[in-house]
Amino acid sequence: MKIMIVEDDLTIRDMVGEALEKWGFETVKIEDFDQIMQVFLNHDPHLVIMDINLPSFDGFYWCNKIREISKVPMIFLSSRDTPMDIVMSMNMGGDDYIQKPFHMDVLIAKINALLRRTYSYMETQSQTMEHDGIILNLENGEVLHGDRKSELTKTEFLILKILMKNKGIIVSRTKMMRSLWKNENFVDENTLTVNIARLRKKLVELGKEHFITTKKGQGYIIQ
């Protein structure tokens, strides 16, 4: 299991990291606090430990951003001690709150309990796909770029999913049609062209004009 630690106090961050690694967890420690979402997407952790007081944006902001694309369990670890901080943490999507100073055994016990509760009954597959800033939510079919998002039709969603799954590889029109409609003989080839055009228009509206490239006579690719 992989745990991401979002903590700007290096002493606490390293202390928590060492304790988790002794328990056999893989850890991801944030170094650049402007790249928290990118690190999250790159590593797809099973649990996040989130401080509230952080450089630039606070932990509530990053919790909200993560909750837009993921239900990953999250524990707030903070020196803030007012009831309102705890209430806000839970309302923003946190699963638990531990106040500093804390006892390491308590933190480890809460992490183990939360992981057991979450992953004993949930599918552990990733809920998102990401490439070049485009995030595809596999649960609700939304596509996101920065603060903008768009809803896709079922066909648009499947096209983007196929291309992102095969990023860097040309996907032929025949393969695409077989994946979408099982037997391309029963579908007008223009149907694929229309759906690709609609998907491209939505990506342009999100600020990604050239996300899908056409390879003449070969198919489509995202690079």
Side-chain angles (χ1 to χ4, degrees), residues 150-167:
S150 180
E151 291 187 9
L152 303 180
T153 65
K154 180 182 177 182
T155 302
E156 293 163 356
F157 167 76
L158 291 173
I159 290 172
L160 189 56
K161 183 180 177 183
I162 292 168
L163 289 173
M164 292 181 76
K165 187 177 180 181
N166 293 278
K167 58 188 176 186

Side-chain angles (χ1 to χ4, degrees), residues 136-138 140-143 150-161 180-181 191-192 194-200 202:
L136 180 63
N137 189 320
L138 302 178
N140 61 16
E142 287 183 342
V143 60
S150 180
E151 291 187 9
L152 303 180
T153 65
K154 180 182 177 182
T155 302
E156 293 163 356
F157 167 76
L158 291 173
I159 290 172
L160 189 56
K161 183 180 177 183
L180 293 171
W181 296 293
T191 303
L192 176 59
V194 170
N195 278 280
I196 290 279
R198 288 174 178 164
L199 175 57
R200 277 185 165 138
K202 291 182 179 179

Side-chain angles (χ1 to χ4, degrees), residues 103-205:
H103 197 290
M104 189 63 71
D105 289 341
V106 174
L107 175 62
I108 296 294
K110 284 180 176 284
I111 288 172
N112 281 324
L114 190 51
L115 288 173
R116 278 197 307 272
R117 197 162 62 239
T118 303
Y119 294 104
S120 292
Y121 305 103
M122 284 182 59
E123 177 61 57
T124 58
Q125 294 294 317
S126 174
Q127 300 162 347
T128 61
M129 298 176 77
E130 190 274 339
H131 179 67
D132 195 22
I134 286 290
I135 301 167
L136 180 63
N137 189 320
L138 302 178
E139 290 196 326
N140 61 16
E142 287 183 342
V143 60
L144 302 94
H145 182 232
D147 293 329
R148 289 178 278 183
K149 64 182 177 182
S150 180
E151 291 187 9
L152 303 180
T153 65
K154 180 182 177 182
T155 302
E156 293 163 356
F157 167 76
L158 291 173
I159 290 172
L160 189 56
K161 183 180 177 183
I162 292 168
L163 289 173
M164 292 181 76
K165 187 177 180 181
N166 293 278
K167 58 188 176 186
I169 300 172
I170 297 173
V171 180
S172 70
R173 288 178 61 87
T174 300
K175 180 179 179 181
M176 183 75 77
M177 293 178 71
R178 284 176 178 165
S179 298
L180 293 171
W181 296 293
K182 306 304 178 186
N183 189 336
E184 74 278 15
N185 294 328
F186 297 103
V187 179
D188 184 347
E189 193 168 333
N190 189 52
T191 303
L192 176 59
T193 303
V194 170
N195 278 280
I196 290 279
R198 288 174 178 164
L199 175 57
R200 277 185 165 138
K201 182 180 179 183
K202 291 182 179 179
L203 290 168
V204 169
E205 290 170 353

